[in-house]
Amino acid sequence: MRGERNEQALVRPRRPVAAEDARGEQLRLAVHELRRALAGYPPELPDRQIADEELAALAAMAAAGECDAGRLRSSLLLVVGALGSISALAGPLFRVRAAVGLFGVPSVRR
């Protein structure tokens, strides 16, 4: 019995990565990729500042682990409005959209 107790003391249960952590990490990586792609896009864009601000907001939410589906979708809508017609950014923008989609649909308040 004593040997069993020692073995149990040495074995630590692995803490699984929470789904929230995985989704937040995926969002963080997707936003980082889009920000890099946008930084490398040379033409002047009329709504670039809006896109930069909303991408910074998305990155901050992902880093803090405070990802409200409604706020994420609102930021995504502004980013898509600012960058959606630029084919060079379509891939990274799609990945941000997919990452935001992992957080589900915002709840409706009545």
Side-chain angles (χ1 to χ4, degrees), residues 23-110:
R23 294 182 304 175
E25 180 66 10
Q26 196 162 356
L27 177 60
R28 188 188 67 75
L29 291 172
V31 168
H32 176 73
E33 178 187 4
L34 181 54
R35 290 175 95 180
R36 275 192 14 229
L38 182 57
Y41 188 76
E44 188 61 36
L45 302 171
D47 294 329
R48 185 181 211 122
Q49 183 178 356
I50 293 169
D52 285 333
E53 289 170 1
E54 292 305 318
L55 287 170
L58 287 168
M61 286 186 271
E66 299 172 2
C67 298
D68 173 66
R71 178 68 180 107
L72 292 174
R73 288 184 178 275
S74 177
S75 289
L76 177 63
L77 182 61
L78 290 169
V79 171
V80 169
L83 306 176
S85 64
I86 302 169
S87 62
L89 302 175
L93 186 55
F94 175 79
R95 285 184 276 287
V96 170
R97 182 194 165 284
V100 167
L102 294 174
F103 289 90
V105 178
S107 59
V108 177
R109 294 181 185 155
R110 294 180 189 203

